[in-house]
Amino acid sequence: MDNQRTVLTATPETQSPAWFALWSNYLLQAPFFQAEKREDSAKIIAQLLEATLNGDSCIAASAEQVAALANLVGSGSEPGSVAPFIYDQQHLYLYRYWALESALAQQVARLKQQVVTAVDVSDYLHLLEDQHQQQALKMTATTAFNLITGGPGTGKTYTLARIIAVLNQALPEIRIAMAAPTGKAAQRMKEALQNSFDDPKIANLVSDDLKRLTPITIHRLLGLGNRQQPRFHARQPLPYDLIVIDEASMLDLNLASMLFNAIAEQTRVILLGDAQQLASVDVGSVLADLQQVPALADNHVHLVTSRRFKAGALIGEMARFIQQQTAEQPAAQILQQFAAQLVQPGELQAVTLTQDMVDVLQLEYLPDEAPDPIAGQGYYDKLMLGYQGYVHSLKQYLQADDPDAVVAQVVKAFDQYRILTAIRHGGLGLQQLNMQIEQRLLQQLVLDVAKQGDWYVGRPVMMTYNDYQLGLSNGDIGLCLQRLREGNRQFEVYFPSLDKWVPATRLPKNIETAFALTIHKSQGSEFQHVAVVLDQAAQNLLSKELIYTAITRAKSVVSLLADRQALVQALTVKTSRNSGVLEKVNEHLSL
C-alpha cells in the first residue's frame, strides 16, 4: 500500500536495543506492575518502543490491548497524574511524548490566536511573481503564526526575503531572528537570503541591518547549553518581533516544543519547509502534522510554481515521478517507466559542471548478486570522479605562494559535489565510502600531502554533536588545511558556515570524515552534483521521502548507483509517522 511504513529489521543499522527488554522487565515487576498479563504487556511495550525509534510519538491501540498495562497507564486527563504510559482513547504514548505533544498543541493554539500589528502590503504585491507568493505576503502581514511550504525552487527564500523587507519597511523597529535546525542549513539560508536581498527590485527596501542579519541554529537561538536547558522559555521569552525558521521539516517534537514555548506574545513566526522531505531524526513530524490541521488552513500557504526546475528539467521531473509512484505497480513496470521517462541505465561518467548547465541524470545498476568484493568492481573510482575539481583546487592550494588567498576556491570546489548514502555500514555504507574516497584523494595528492594520524590537507570533517566551548554545532562541516603559525605549519580546520578556524588538535576524536554523508545529514544542504548510493543492505530503510530528499539536494546533476529492488523500494514506500498533534491542536483551538 502507498501508506506502508518502513519496518525496521534487526540489521546492524537498526537493531532493537537491549534496553527494550531491560526496561520492560523493570516495569513489569512489583511494586510498579499489578496484573497477570506480563506477556501481553511486554509485547505492547516493545511495539511502542519500536515505534518511537521509527519517529512515531504514539501507536494506535484498542482499550483491550491497553488494559494489559493495568496500573502502568494513565489517561492524562487528571491534573498532576503521571504514569509511564498515557492512553487517550485513540493512541498509546510514552508519557514524555504525550506531554510534548500536549505542550506543542497548547503553544500552537496560543500562537494561532495571537494578535499582531497589521501591515498594509497592497503597494508591494507586485514584488512577487505569482498569487501564492502574494498570498504568503498578505498572510504574514496580518497573522502571528505562518506556515510557508513548497518543493525545491518554488521560491520560499525569494518570498521570505520580500516579506522581511516589507515588514522591516512598515515596522522600522522590528527585531528579527532567523534560524534553522543545523549549522549548514543556517549557512545556506544566509547565502540564499543575501542573494535575494541583492535584487535591484527590492534594493530600496533592504536596510544595512537586514543585510547583516545572520541565521543561526535553533539551539543557539534558544541558548541551549550542554545540559539541554534553554536560556529562553515561557518565563523569559525570545526578545524578537519576528522569528523565521527554515528547513522546518527537520523540527522534532522536543525542539519544536521548546521553540514555541519561548515565543513571546505579539511575535510573528514563519516556518518554511518542504513536508515531502524526510522528517526529523528524532520523534515527531511537526511541519507535516501542522499543515494538515484544518483550523490552521488560514495560516498556511503552499507554493507550487518551481523556478529552479523549469519545465522538462530532469531533477524536477524525477521529484514529480517519485511522488506519483505507488507500491501497487509491478517493480519491472516502475523501472521501465523510470528508464523511459527519466534516464536509461548505463555507467556513471565524469560530468563537467558549468554555471547554466542543463540537468544531467545518470543511473548505474548494481549487479543483482552483490559483488564481492565491491572494491573490485570500480564503483569507488566512479564515485571519486565527482571530486576531481576538489583535487585540482587542493593542488593549487598546496602550490600557492599565498595559500590563504585560495581557501575560498577550495571550499567552493568541495561544495560542488557530495556522495549520499542511506546506511553507515557495509561496502557502500558511510564508513567504507569515506575510507575509499580518502585513499583515492591521498593517492592523487601523494607528492604534496603527508597524513599525520587522522589528519591531512583536504580532509572534510563533520561535527557529530554540539560543542558549546568551540562554538560548533552538530552537522557543521569543515575542511582541514595547513596554516603557518609562529614559523610552523599546523593542521587547522576551516568551517565556512562560521568563517572560523579551529586547530585540528582541539577537535574531538569522534569527528567524522565527510566525503560521503547520510541522506539524513544532507538535509539543509545543496550541491551542484550529488551521487546517491542505494544498495541492498539499505532496502528496509528506504522510502519516497529519503530519495526525494537526496535528489533535491542537487542543483544540476544526480548520479544514481542503485540496486534495482532498493530503487523500487525508494520510489514506492511512503512513510507517515503516527502522531496525535492534529487532534490535540484542534482540541485546544475549539476550547
Side-chain angles (χ1 to χ4, degrees), residues 391-408:
V391 171
H392 178 69
S393 72
L394 287 172
K395 288 181 177 179
Q396 289 183 316
Y397 171 83
L398 290 163
Q399 296 165 9
D401 294 330
D402 181 9
D404 285 353
V406 295
V407 167

Side-chain angles (χ1 to χ4, degrees), residues 444-493:
Q444 294 184 36
L445 299 177
V446 65
L447 298 178
D448 304 296
V449 170
K451 187 177 180 184
Q452 298 177 13
D454 292 330
W455 296 103
Y456 52 90
V457 168
R459 182 192 180 194
V461 291
M462 182 178 65
M463 289 292 293
T464 57
Y465 67 94
N466 297 321
D467 189 314
Y468 299 100
Q469 287 187 330
L470 292 176
L472 299 174
S473 299
N474 186 6
D476 283 346
I477 290 179
L479 296 178
C480 179
L481 300 168
Q482 277 188 322
R483 303 192 85 197
L484 192 63
R485 299 290 188 187
E486 298 177 357
N488 296 314
R489 290 198 170 273
Q490 66 179 42
F491 288 124
E492 293 191 26
V493 176

Side-chain angles (χ1 to χ4, degrees), residues 189-209:
M189 183 186 190
K190 178 181 178 180
E191 293 167 356
L193 272 174
Q194 292 306 320
N195 288 338
S196 293
F197 285 152
D198 288 340
D199 188 335
K201 293 180 180 178
I202 61 171
N204 62 320
L205 300 177
V206 178
S207 65
D208 291 339
D209 287 341

